[in-house]
Amino acid sequence: MTVSGMNKKSGNTITVFKGDGIGPEITDAVLSVLDAAGAGLTYEIFSVGEKEYEEHGALIPEEGFQSFERTGVLLKSPITTPVGKGFRSLNVMLRKKYDLYANIRPAKSNQAVKTPFPNVDLVIFRENTEDLYAGVEEMVDADTAHSIKIITRKCSERIVRDAFDYAVKQGRKKVTCIHKANIMKLSDGLFRDVFYEVAKDYPEIEADDKIVDNAAMQMVMNPEKFDVMVMENLYGDILSDLSSGLIGGLGLLPSSNIGNGYAMFEAVHGSAPDIAGKGIANPTAFLWSACMMLEYMGDTECAARIRRAVDEVLTEGTHITPDLGGTAGTKEYVDEIIKRLL
Ligand code: NAI
Ligand code: MG
């Protein structure tokens, strides 16, 4: 599979999970923008999360899973992780169950958020299933712990190939492999070797590599020099948070988790219970996640129209939400976006 959405299963039907806190509000906002933009999608909408658990005993209803298995495309709003009930993260569960191996996080500077880095436009492809994150650990004796780093050709190749496919599709110029192969010669060496093997299939895209600690410094000093980046799980965990910091925090960050025939799109932020129900939540990160979804499904034109309208409203700055320093509610902000789409 590729990030182009070749395996999309069920026409223009998508599964939507309405979560907790601001989840329902930002879901309604995003669906209204998709409709106004003429995305032509049909929705199978499920309530998921804490409320669903209290009422029906499961965070996600069985019909919700079945729907995702039919449609292959899931737009998921944030859920509140129940505290103290021994829950595994729902996201970790979904990633495992559907082998959503590619975690893609774009970070782009925005007019609405002033930072020292106005020209960031990078995309991180993080391998989502192996590396130290597999959590294979053992106590060798009472005072010695081993944690085993697992890197396979199969998992390295599929994430690297997705990064290059994405670069081609999005008109990007360069893919950079991040690693520590100077020290971990076998595991990170394998990842880097696979990277350069795959790169041969994409002669039009520049391929280079950087050692992870140097990359961290370069990202802070010259973030505009990075384009598409691909890396193992742990480096991706750390550097994607670093990239969030460059553009002013998690508030405007979309993400996707992609596997073979399954793809889940969500904002990076949580359910924001402190502002739930007040009508002031910022739906932008979720809306940009929906744009990534449209691109995955092949409707780049519709995604581009939505992105343009959002950019205009953010740049103008007169109808933005309180988290960005404005006074508009979710509805006023979304109405302004919709006005520019009609
Ligand atoms: P959070 O991201 O929900 O909120 C952090 C702060 O950012 C809060 O002040 C909130 O009001 C603000 N904020 C977040 N999104 C916003 C938006 N769209 N518009 C305006 N302001 C926004 O993180 P927090 O408070 O740590 O977590 C709350 C709940 O969300 C927890 O139960 C957590 O487990 C869950 N969570 C769920 C995620 C998911 O489903 N993907 C991801 C992260 C957290
Ligand atoms: Mg993290």
Side-chain angles (χ1 to χ4, degrees), residues 126 133 237 241:
R126 166 187 174 188
Y133 249 80
D237 183 38
D241 272 25

Side-chain angles (χ1 to χ4, degrees), residues 89-109:
S89 149
L90 192 71
N91 278 357
V92 174
M93 187 271 278
L94 284 167
R95 267 177 215 164
K96 273 226 151 78
K97 186 169 163 81
Y98 297 104
D99 194 23
L100 304 173
Y101 64 84
N103 183 209
I104 307 168
R105 267 167 71 166
K108 191 168 190 282
S109 303

Side-chain angles (χ1 to χ4, degrees), residues 151-162:
I151 300 295
T152 64
R153 176 175 295 277
K154 174 181 162 233
C155 291
S156 302
E157 184 169 345
R158 62 186 185 175
I159 187 78
V160 169
R161 202 165 280 288
D162 278 7

Side-chain angles (χ1 to χ4, degrees), residues 125 137 197 243 318 333:
F125 275 68
E137 299 189 294
E197 281 163 29
S243 70
T318 44
Y333 172 63

Side-chain angles (χ1 to χ4, degrees), residues 22 26 76-83 90-91 250-251 266-276 280-285 321-323:
I22 61 171
I26 61 174
K76 173 186 163 293
S77 80
I79 73 149
T80 300
T81 309
V83 183
L90 192 71
N91 278 357
L250 295 175
E266 64 175 349
V268 170
H269 63 71
S271 59
D274 52 331
I275 58 163
I280 55 167
N282 184 354
T284 311
T321 47
D323 56 300

